Coordinates of all heavy atoms in Angstrom, one line a residue:
M1041 N 89.7 157.4 86.9 CA 88.8 157.3 85.7 C 87.8 158.5 85.9 O 87.2 158.8 87.0 CB 88.2 156.0 85.6 CG 87.4 155.8 84.3 SD 86.9 154.0 84.0 CE 88.7 153.5 83.5
K1042 N 87.4 159.1 84.8 CA 86.4 160.2 84.9 C 85.2 159.8 84.0 O 85.3 159.2 82.9 CB 87.0 161.5 84.2 CG 86.2 162.7 84.3 CD 87.1 163.9 83.8 CE 86.3 165.2 84.0 NZ 87.0 166.3 83.6
Y1043 N 84.0 160.1 84.6 CA 82.8 159.6 84.0 C 81.7 160.9 84.3 O 81.4 161.2 85.4 CB 82.2 158.2 84.4 CG 80.9 157.9 83.9 CD1 80.9 157.6 82.6 CD2 79.7 158.1 84.6 CE1 79.6 157.1 82.0 CE2 78.4 157.6 84.0 CZ 78.4 157.2 82.8 OH 77.2 156.8 82.1
D1044 N 81.2 161.5 83.2 CA 80.3 162.7 83.4 C 80.8 163.6 84.3 O 80.1 164.0 85.3 CB 78.9 162.1 83.8 CG 78.0 161.6 82.7 OD1 78.3 161.9 81.5 OD2 77.0 160.8 82.9
E1045 N 82.0 164.1 84.2 CA 82.6 165.1 85.1 C 82.9 164.6 86.5 O 83.2 165.4 87.4 CB 81.8 166.3 84.9 CG 81.7 166.9 83.5 CD 82.9 167.2 82.9 OE1 83.9 167.7 83.5 OE2 83.0 167.0 81.7
I1046 N 82.6 163.3 86.7 CA 82.9 162.7 88.1 C 84.2 161.9 88.0 O 84.3 161.0 87.2 CB 81.6 161.9 88.6 CG1 80.3 162.7 88.6 CG2 82.0 161.2 90.0 CD1 79.1 162.0 88.8
I1047 N 85.0 162.1 88.9 CA 86.3 161.4 89.0 C 86.0 160.2 90.0 O 85.6 160.3 91.1 CB 87.5 162.2 89.6 CG1 87.7 163.3 88.5 CG2 88.7 161.3 89.7 CD1 88.8 164.3 89.0
I1048 N 86.2 159.0 89.4 CA 85.9 157.7 90.2 C 87.3 157.1 90.7 O 88.2 156.8 89.9 CB 85.2 156.7 89.2 CG1 83.9 157.3 88.8 CG2 85.0 155.4 90.0 CD1 83.2 156.4 87.6
E1049 N 87.5 157.1 91.8 CA 88.6 156.6 92.5 C 88.4 155.2 93.0 O 87.7 154.8 93.9 CB 89.0 157.4 93.8 CG 89.3 158.9 93.6 CD 90.6 159.2 92.9 OE1 91.6 158.2 92.9 OE2 90.7 160.2 92.3
S1050 N 88.8 154.2 92.1 CA 88.4 152.9 92.3 C 89.6 152.0 91.7 O 90.4 152.4 91.0 CB 87.1 152.4 91.8 OG 87.0 152.6 90.5
G1051 N 89.3 150.7 91.9 CA 90.3 149.7 91.3 C 90.0 149.3 89.9 O 90.5 148.2 89.4
Y1052 N 89.3 150.1 89.1 CA 89.1 149.7 87.7 C 90.4 149.8 87.0 O 90.9 150.9 86.9 CB 88.0 150.5 87.1 CG 86.6 150.4 87.7 CD1 86.0 151.3 88.4 CD2 86.0 149.1 87.5 CE1 84.7 151.2 88.9 CE2 84.7 148.9 88.2 CZ 84.1 149.9 88.8 OH 83.0 149.7 89.3
R1053 N 90.8 148.8 86.3 CA 92.1 148.8 85.5 C 91.7 147.9 84.2 O 91.6 146.8 84.2 CB 93.2 148.3 86.2 CG 93.5 149.1 87.5 CD 95.0 149.1 87.8 NE 95.5 149.8 88.8 CZ 94.9 150.3 90.0 NH1 93.7 149.9 90.1 NH2 95.5 151.1 90.8
L1054 N 91.8 148.8 83.2 CA 91.8 148.1 81.7 C 93.0 147.3 81.5 O 94.1 147.8 81.8 CB 91.5 149.1 80.6 CG 90.4 150.0 80.7 CD1 90.4 151.2 79.7 CD2 89.0 149.3 80.7
D1055 N 92.8 146.2 80.8 CA 94.0 145.4 80.4 C 94.6 146.1 79.1 O 95.9 146.4 79.2 CB 93.8 144.1 80.0 CG 93.4 143.2 81.2 OD1 93.7 143.6 82.3 OD2 92.7 142.1 81.0
M1056 N 93.9 146.5 78.1 CA 94.3 147.0 76.9 C 93.4 147.9 76.2 O 92.2 147.5 76.3 CB 94.8 146.0 75.9 CG 95.9 145.2 76.5 SD 96.4 143.6 75.4 CE 96.3 144.1 73.8
I1057 N 93.8 149.0 75.6 CA 92.9 149.9 74.7 C 93.7 149.8 73.4 O 94.8 150.2 73.3 CB 92.7 151.2 75.3 CG1 91.9 151.1 76.6 CG2 91.9 152.0 74.2 CD1 91.6 152.5 77.3
V1058 N 93.1 149.5 72.3 CA 93.6 149.5 71.0 C 93.2 150.7 70.2 O 91.9 150.9 70.0 CB 93.2 148.1 70.3 CG1 93.9 148.1 68.9 CG2 93.7 146.9 71.0
V1059 N 94.1 151.5 69.7 CA 93.7 152.6 68.9 C 92.6 153.5 69.4 O 91.7 154.0 68.7 CB 93.4 152.3 67.4 CG1 93.5 153.4 66.5 CG2 94.4 151.2 66.8
D1060 N 92.6 153.6 70.8 CA 91.6 154.4 71.5 C 90.2 154.1 71.1 O 89.3 155.0 71.2 CB 91.7 155.9 71.3 CG 93.1 156.4 71.9 OD1 93.3 155.9 73.0 OD2 93.7 157.3 71.5
S1061 N 89.9 152.8 70.7 CA 88.5 152.5 70.3 C 88.1 151.2 70.7 O 86.9 150.9 70.6 CB 88.4 152.7 68.7 OG 89.2 151.8 68.1
I1062 N 89.0 150.2 71.0 CA 88.7 148.8 71.3 C 89.3 148.5 72.7 O 90.4 148.7 72.9 CB 89.1 147.8 70.2 CG1 88.4 148.3 68.9 CG2 88.7 146.4 70.6 CD1 89.0 147.4 67.7
I1063 N 88.4 147.9 73.6 CA 89.0 147.4 74.9 C 89.2 146.0 74.8 O 88.3 145.2 74.4 CB 88.0 147.8 76.0 CG1 88.0 149.3 76.2 CG2 88.5 147.2 77.3 CD1 87.1 149.8 77.3
I1064 N 90.3 145.5 75.2 CA 90.6 144.0 75.3 C 90.8 143.7 76.8 O 91.6 144.4 77.5 CB 92.0 143.8 74.6 CG1 92.0 144.2 73.1 CG2 92.3 142.1 74.8 CD1 91.1 143.5 72.2
E1065 N 90.0 142.7 77.3 CA 90.2 142.2 78.7 C 90.8 140.8 78.6 O 90.2 139.9 77.9 CB 88.8 142.0 79.3 CG 88.5 143.4 80.1 CD 89.5 143.7 81.2 OE1 89.7 142.9 82.0 OE2 89.9 144.8 81.1
N1066 N 91.9 140.5 79.2 CA 92.6 139.2 79.1 C 92.1 138.4 80.4 O 92.2 139.0 81.5 CB 94.0 139.4 79.2 CG 94.6 139.9 77.8 OD1 94.3 139.3 76.8 ND2 95.1 141.2 77.8
K1067 N 91.8 137.3 80.3 CA 91.5 136.3 81.3 C 92.1 135.0 81.2 O 92.5 134.6 80.1 CB 89.9 136.1 81.4 CG 89.1 137.4 81.6 CD 89.2 137.9 82.9 CE 88.4 139.2 83.0 NZ 88.8 140.0 84.1
T1068 N 92.4 134.3 82.3 CA 92.8 133.0 82.3 C 91.9 132.2 83.3 O 92.3 132.1 84.5 CB 94.3 132.9 82.8 OG1 95.0 133.8 82.0 CG2 94.8 131.4 82.6
V1069 N 90.8 131.8 82.8 CA 89.7 131.2 83.7 C 89.1 130.0 82.9 O 89.4 129.8 81.7 CB 88.6 132.2 84.0 CG1 89.0 133.3 84.8 CG2 87.9 132.7 82.7
R1070 N 88.5 129.2 83.7 CA 87.9 127.9 83.1 C 86.8 128.3 82.0 O 86.9 127.7 81.0 CB 87.2 127.0 84.2 CG 86.8 125.8 83.6 CD 86.3 124.9 84.7 NE 87.5 124.6 85.5 CZ 87.6 123.7 86.6 NH1 86.5 123.3 87.0 NH2 88.8 123.6 87.2
K1071 N 86.0 129.3 82.2 CA 85.2 129.8 81.2 C 84.8 131.2 81.5 O 84.9 131.6 82.6 CB 83.9 129.0 81.1 CG 82.9 129.0 82.3 CD 81.7 128.1 82.0 CE 80.3 129.0 82.2 NZ 79.1 128.3 81.9
I1072 N 84.4 131.9 80.5 CA 84.0 133.3 80.7 C 82.6 133.3 81.4 O 81.7 132.7 81.0 CB 84.0 134.1 79.3 CG1 85.3 134.1 78.7 CG2 83.4 135.5 79.5 CD1 85.3 134.6 77.2
L1073 N 82.6 134.1 82.5 CA 81.4 134.3 83.2 C 80.7 135.6 83.0 O 81.3 136.5 82.4 CB 81.7 134.2 84.8 CG 82.4 132.8 85.2 CD1 82.7 132.9 86.7 CD2 81.5 131.6 85.0
T1074 N 79.5 135.7 83.4 CA 78.7 136.9 83.3 C 79.3 138.1 84.0 O 79.2 139.2 83.6 CB 77.2 136.8 83.6 OG1 77.1 136.4 85.0 CG2 76.4 135.8 82.8
I1075 N 80.0 137.9 85.1 CA 80.7 138.8 85.8 C 81.8 139.5 84.9 O 82.1 140.7 85.1 CB 81.2 138.3 87.2 CG1 81.9 139.6 88.0 CG2 82.4 137.4 87.0 CD1 80.7 140.4 88.6
H1076 N 82.5 138.6 84.1 CA 83.5 139.2 83.2 C 82.9 140.0 82.1 O 83.5 141.1 81.8 CB 84.4 138.0 82.5 CG 85.0 137.0 83.6 ND1 84.8 135.7 83.5 CD2 85.7 137.3 84.7 CE1 85.4 135.1 84.5 NE2 86.0 136.1 85.2
E1077 N 81.7 139.5 81.6 CA 81.0 140.4 80.7 C 80.6 141.7 81.2 O 80.8 142.7 80.6 CB 79.8 139.7 80.1 CG 80.2 138.3 79.4 CD 79.1 137.5 79.0 OE1 78.0 137.8 79.3 OE2 79.3 136.4 78.3
A1078 N 80.0 141.7 82.5 CA 79.7 143.0 83.1 C 80.8 143.9 83.3 O 80.8 145.1 83.1 CB 78.9 142.7 84.5
Q1079 N 82.0 143.3 83.7 CA 83.2 144.2 83.8 C 83.6 144.8 82.5 O 83.8 146.0 82.5 CB 84.4 143.2 84.3 CG 85.8 144.0 84.5 CD 86.8 143.0 84.7 OE1 86.7 141.8 84.4 NE2 87.8 143.5 85.3
L1080 N 83.6 144.1 81.4 CA 83.9 144.7 80.1 C 82.8 145.8 79.7 O 83.3 146.8 79.2 CB 83.9 143.6 79.1 CG 84.3 144.2 77.6 CD1 85.6 145.0 77.7 CD2 84.3 143.0 76.6
L1081 N 81.6 145.5 79.9 CA 80.6 146.5 79.6 C 80.7 147.7 80.4 O 80.6 148.9 80.0 CB 79.3 145.9 79.7 CG 78.7 145.0 78.6 CD1 77.4 144.4 79.0 CD2 78.6 145.8 77.3
T1082 N 81.1 147.6 81.7 CA 81.3 148.7 82.5 C 82.5 149.7 82.0 O 82.4 150.8 81.8 CB 81.6 148.4 84.0 OG1 80.6 147.6 84.5 CG2 82.1 149.6 84.8
Y1083 N 83.5 149.0 81.6 CA 84.7 149.6 81.0 C 84.3 150.3 79.8 O 84.7 151.5 79.5 CB 85.9 148.7 80.7 CG 86.6 148.1 82.0 CD1 87.3 147.0 81.8 CD2 86.5 148.8 83.2 CE1 87.8 146.4 83.0 CE2 87.2 148.3 84.3 CZ 87.8 147.0 84.2 OH 88.4 146.5 85.3
L1084 N 83.5 149.7 78.9 CA 83.1 150.3 77.7 C 82.3 151.6 78.0 O 82.5 152.6 77.3 CB 82.2 149.4 76.8 CG 83.1 148.2 76.2 CD1 82.1 147.3 75.6 CD2 84.0 148.7 75.1
K1085 N 81.3 151.5 79.0 CA 80.5 152.6 79.3 C 81.4 153.8 79.9 O 81.1 155.0 79.5 CB 79.4 152.2 80.2 CG 78.3 151.4 79.5 CD 77.3 150.9 80.4 CE 76.3 150.0 79.7 NZ 75.3 149.4 80.5
L1086 N 82.3 153.5 80.8 CA 83.1 154.4 81.4 C 84.0 155.2 80.4 O 84.2 156.4 80.5 CB 83.9 153.9 82.5 CG 83.2 153.4 83.8 CD1 84.0 152.7 84.7 CD2 82.6 154.7 84.5
K1087 N 84.6 154.4 79.4 CA 85.3 155.1 78.5 C 84.6 155.6 77.2 O 85.1 156.2 76.3 CB 86.4 154.0 78.0 CG 87.4 153.7 79.1 CD 88.3 154.9 79.5 CE 89.3 155.2 78.6 NZ 90.1 156.3 79.0
N1088 N 83.2 155.5 77.1 CA 82.4 155.8 76.1 C 82.8 155.2 74.8 O 82.9 155.8 73.7 CB 82.2 157.4 76.0 CG 81.1 157.8 75.2 OD1 80.0 157.1 75.2 ND2 81.2 158.9 74.6
L1089 N 83.1 153.9 74.8 CA 83.6 153.1 73.6 C 82.6 152.1 73.2 O 81.6 151.8 74.2 CB 84.9 152.4 73.9 CG 86.1 153.4 74.2 CD1 87.4 152.6 74.4 CD2 86.3 154.3 73.0
R1090 N 82.6 151.5 72.0 CA 81.5 150.8 71.6 C 81.8 149.3 71.6 O 81.1 148.5 71.8 CB 81.1 151.2 70.2 CG 80.0 150.5 69.5 CD 79.4 151.3 68.4 NE 78.4 150.5 67.6 CZ 77.2 150.0 67.9 NH1 76.7 150.5 69.1 NH2 76.6 149.4 67.2
L1091 N 83.1 148.9 71.3 CA 83.6 147.6 70.9 C 84.6 147.0 72.0 O 85.6 147.8 72.2 CB 84.2 147.5 69.6 CG 84.6 146.0 69.1 CD1 83.4 145.1 69.1 CD2 85.2 146.2 67.7
G1092 N 84.4 145.9 72.4 CA 85.3 145.2 73.4 C 85.4 143.7 73.2 O 84.5 143.1 72.7
F1093 N 86.5 143.1 73.5 CA 86.7 141.7 73.5 C 87.3 141.1 74.9 O 88.0 141.8 75.5 CB 87.8 141.3 72.4 CG 87.3 141.5 71.0 CD1 87.5 142.7 70.4 CD2 86.6 140.7 70.2 CE1 87.1 143.1 69.1 CE2 86.2 140.9 69.0 CZ 86.5 142.2 68.3
I1094 N 86.8 139.9 75.1 CA 87.4 139.2 76.4 C 88.1 138.1 75.7 O 87.5 137.3 74.8 CB 86.3 138.7 77.2 CG1 85.4 139.7 77.8 CG2 86.9 137.8 78.4 CD1 84.2 139.4 78.6
F1095 N 89.4 137.9 76.0 CA 90.2 136.8 75.6 C 90.4 135.9 76.8 O 91.0 136.3 77.8 CB 91.5 137.2 75.0 CG 91.4 137.9 73.6 CD1 91.3 139.4 73.5 CD2 91.5 137.2 72.5 CE1 91.3 140.0 72.2 CE2 91.3 137.8 71.3 CZ 91.3 139.2 71.2
N1096 N 90.0 134.6 76.7 CA 90.2 133.7 77.7 C 91.5 132.9 77.2 O 91.2 131.9 76.3 CB 89.0 132.9 78.0 CG 89.3 131.9 79.1 OD1 90.4 132.0 79.8 ND2 88.4 130.9 79.3
W1097 N 92.5 133.0 77.8 CA 93.8 132.3 77.3 C 93.9 130.8 77.8 O 94.8 130.2 77.5 CB 95.0 133.1 77.8 CG 95.0 134.4 77.1 CD1 94.8 135.7 77.7 CD2 95.4 134.7 75.7 NE1 94.8 136.6 76.7 CE2 95.3 136.1 75.5 CE3 95.8 133.9 74.7 CZ2 95.4 136.7 74.4 CZ3 96.0 134.5 73.4 CH2 95.8 135.9 73.3
K1098 N 92.9 130.4 78.7 CA 92.9 129.1 79.2 C 92.2 128.1 78.3 O 92.1 127.0 78.5 CB 92.3 129.0 80.6 CG 92.7 127.8 81.3 CD 92.3 128.0 82.8 CE 92.9 126.7 83.6 NZ 92.7 126.8 85.0
S1099 N 91.5 128.6 77.2 CA 90.8 127.8 76.3 C 91.7 126.9 75.4 O 92.8 127.5 75.1 CB 89.9 128.7 75.3 OG 88.9 129.4 76.0
V1100 N 91.3 125.8 75.1 CA 92.0 124.9 74.3 C 92.3 125.4 73.0 O 93.5 125.6 72.5 CB 91.5 123.5 74.2 CG1 92.3 122.6 73.3 CG2 91.4 122.8 75.6
L1101 N 91.2 125.9 72.3 CA 91.3 126.6 71.1 C 91.0 128.1 71.2 O 90.0 128.4 71.9 CB 90.3 126.0 70.1 CG 90.5 124.5 69.7 CD1 89.3 124.1 68.8 CD2 91.8 124.4 69.0
I1102 N 91.9 128.9 70.9 CA 91.7 130.4 71.1 C 90.4 130.9 70.6 O 89.7 131.8 71.1 CB 92.8 131.3 70.7 CG1 92.7 132.7 71.2 CG2 93.0 131.3 69.2 CD1 92.8 132.9 72.7
K1103 N 89.9 130.4 69.4 CA 88.7 130.8 68.8 C 87.4 130.5 69.7 O 86.4 131.2 69.7 CB 88.4 130.2 67.5 CG 88.1 128.7 67.5 CD 87.7 128.2 66.1 CE 87.2 126.6 66.3 NZ 86.6 126.2 65.3
D1104 N 87.6 129.5 70.7 CA 86.5 129.3 71.6 C 86.7 130.3 73.0 O 85.7 130.3 73.6 CB 86.6 127.8 72.2 CG 86.3 126.9 71.0 OD1 85.6 127.2 70.1 OD2 86.9 125.7 71.1
G1105 N 87.7 130.9 73.0 CA 87.9 131.8 74.2 C 87.8 133.3 73.9 O 88.3 134.0 74.7
I1106 N 87.3 133.6 72.8 CA 87.1 135.0 72.5 C 85.5 135.4 72.5 O 84.7 134.8 71.9 CB 87.6 135.3 71.1 CG1 89.1 135.0 70.9 CG2 87.3 136.7 70.6 CD1 89.7 135.2 69.6
K1107 N 85.3 136.4 73.3 CA 83.9 136.9 73.4 C 83.9 138.4 72.9 O 84.6 139.2 73.4 CB 83.5 136.8 74.9 CG 82.1 137.5 75.2 CD 81.0 136.7 74.7 CE 79.7 137.3 75.1 NZ 78.6 136.5 74.8
R1108 N 83.0 138.7 72.0 CA 82.9 140.1 71.4 C 81.7 140.7 72.0 O 80.7 140.1 72.1 CB 82.8 140.0 69.8 CG 82.7 141.3 69.2 CD 82.4 141.1 67.8 NE 82.3 142.4 67.0 CZ 81.3 143.0 66.8 NH1 80.0 142.5 67.0 NH2 81.2 144.1 66.1
M1109 N 81.9 141.9 72.5 CA 80.8 142.6 73.1 C 80.6 144.1 72.5 O 81.7 144.7 72.3 CB 81.0 142.7 74.6 CG 80.9 141.3 75.2 SD 80.9 141.2 77.0 CE 79.3 141.8 77.2
V1110 N 79.5 144.5 72.4 CA 79.2 145.8 71.9 C 78.4 146.6 72.9 O 77.4 146.2 73.4 CB 78.4 145.8 70.5 CG1 78.0 147.2 70.1 CG2 79.2 145.0 69.5
N1111 N 78.8 147.9 73.1 CA 78.1 148.7 74.0 C 77.1 149.6 73.1 O 77.6 150.3 72.2 CB 79.1 149.7 74.7 CG 78.3 150.8 75.6 OD1 77.3 150.6 76.0 ND2 79.1 151.8 75.9
N1112 N 75.9 149.4 73.4 CA 74.9 150.3 72.7 C 74.8 151.7 73.2 O 74.0 151.9 74.0 CB 73.5 149.6 72.6 CG 73.6 148.2 71.9 OD1 74.2 148.1 70.9 ND2 72.9 147.3 72.5
L1113 N 75.7 152.5 72.7 CA 75.7 153.9 73.2 C 74.5 154.6 73.2 O 73.9 155.3 73.8 CB 76.7 154.7 72.4 CG 78.1 154.1 72.4 CD1 78.9 154.8 71.4 CD2 78.8 154.2 73.7

């Protein structure tokens, strides 16, 4: 991954990018934690994107397992 002309060799791996503008992070956890939100915000900043979603597939109702996040560029 490249950020401000610096190549970052690390374990960062996005789950999905939709139309080069939205990042989707898939989780199967009891509940979405702040570490998951921080992970998504990091991906948004590194890719210089504004919108991302965390989908928690372990939620009983999918509407309760979706977290929308915005990077204030």
Side-chain angles (χ1 to χ4, degrees):
M1041 188 168 285
K1042 190 174 180 181
Y1043 180 73
D1044 279 340
E1045 304 303 318
I1046 300 170
I1047 296 175
I1048 300 171
E1049 303 284 337
S1050 64
Y1052 294 116
R1053 294 210 174 34
L1054 300 173
D1055 288 338
M1056 296 167 45
I1057 299 180
V1058 180
V1059 194
D1060 290 325
S1061 61
I1062 301 170
I1063 294 177
I1064 306 291
E1065 271 300 302
N1066 293 299
K1067 302 290 181 197
T1068 307
V1069 293
R1070 186 167 294 175
K1071 74 178 225 176
I1072 297 171
L1073 302 174
T1074 55
I1075 190 73
H1076 302 131
E1077 295 172 0
Q1079 177 187 24
L1080 178 55
L1081 283 176
T1082 298
Y1083 292 158
L1084 289 170
K1085 289 177 183 178
L1086 288 171
K1087 294 296 281 179
N1088 200 29
L1089 297 176
R1090 185 161 165 79
L1091 182 60
F1093 292 90
I1094 301 172
F1095 287 94
N1096 183 10
W1097 297 102
K1098 200 168 185 175
S1099 294
V1100 175
L1101 298 174
I1102 192 62
K1103 69 176 186 165
D1104 296 332
I1106 299 173
K1107 172 78 177 185
R1108 178 182 184 268
M1109 299 190 71
V1110 176
N1111 176 22
N1112 296 322
L1113 305 171

